[in-house]
Amino acid sequence: MLALGVGVVFSAAVGLRNALVLIGVAIVLAVPALILWARHRHRQWLRTLAASSRLEVIDAMSGAQFEDHVADLLRRDGYKRVQVTGRSGDRGVDVIAVSPEGVAIAVQCKRQAKTVGSPEIQRLVGAVHGTYAGRRGVFVTNNTFSRNAVEEAALCGITLIDRNRLGDWLLGDRPPPLG
């Protein structure tokens, strides 16, 4: 009988020890998970803050600085043969490049305070069907596009990068497929 009593007490002690070990393991696993989650949330907040700050910098750039900045973003994302063609006489295209997948693109950059309308899209369409034939058209702005501009771009296969997409791109997200 005494042996049975000692066995029960010993089993209870081992069970309690196992329960405490399990609780300890759960805590050890939960704490790093909570820390990772908090860091992730903090990074998201910092990205949002950085995007708005960077867009403010973009808003203060000259048109030429904006063209150079877009070229730098393309280089960062692995585009080859990136050239700024902008300035006067650019024939409607500010930057040309070749995507990592080998697709040639022609980029029109507009850093301006007003919405981009369909006439600007039509000029890019003319450029990619004329001087820059064989290249995919991309239009980048620090603002928004009018409804007519969006419709025109969709009909003509022009990729649009508006203020929101530009903010994401500045933070390291690749833009929509450009090629």
Side-chain angles (χ1 to χ4, degrees):
M1 272 298 205
L2 183 61
L4 182 62
V6 170
V8 169
V9 170
F10 182 74
S11 293
V14 169
L16 179 61
R17 191 186 77 186
N18 287 342
L20 290 174
V21 167
L22 285 175
I23 290 170
V25 168
I27 290 171
V28 166
L29 293 176
V31 168
L34 286 172
I35 291 170
L36 287 174
W37 177 80
R39 284 182 182 167
H40 172 74
R41 296 287 297 168
H42 183 69
R43 269 183 264 145
Q44 282 181 320
W45 176 79
L46 287 175
R47 284 172 53 105
T48 301
L49 182 63
S52 63
S53 297
R54 288 184 181 176
L55 285 170
E56 289 171 2
V57 170
I58 295 286
D59 293 341
M61 288 180 177
S62 69
Q65 289 171 324
F66 183 52
E67 293 164 6
D68 290 336
H69 197 72
V70 168
D72 288 341
L73 290 171
L74 291 168
R75 285 184 194 99
R76 180 200 70 195
D77 290 344
Y79 285 72
K80 306 290 184 218
R81 300 196 308 262
V82 178
Q83 289 182 318
V84 177
T85 62
R87 320 304 192 257
S88 62
D90 64 14
R91 301 187 186 269
V93 169
D94 299 312
V95 180
I96 57 173
V98 177
S99 74
E101 298 77 27
V103 178
I105 63 168
V107 183
Q108 174 64 44
C109 304
K110 284 287 182 212
R111 192 220 43 82
Q112 60 188 34
K114 63 179 185 164
T115 298
V116 175
S118 61
E120 288 93 342
I121 302 299
Q122 291 165 357
R123 280 193 283 282
L124 178 57
V125 169
V128 297
H129 289 300
T131 305
Y132 298 96
R135 293 184 179 269
R136 174 102 189 262
V138 179
F139 203 114
V140 182
T141 184
N142 67 318
N143 210 303
T144 58
F145 294 97
S146 70
R147 183 181 317 164
N148 288 341
V150 170
E151 291 170 2
E152 186 78 27
L155 287 172
C156 299
I158 303 294
T159 300
L160 301 179
I161 299 178
D162 64 4
R163 186 174 188 82
N164 290 334
R165 283 185 161 171
L166 178 60
D168 292 340
W169 194 15
L170 290 169
L171 293 173
D173 292 346
R174 280 198 74 180
L178 303 182

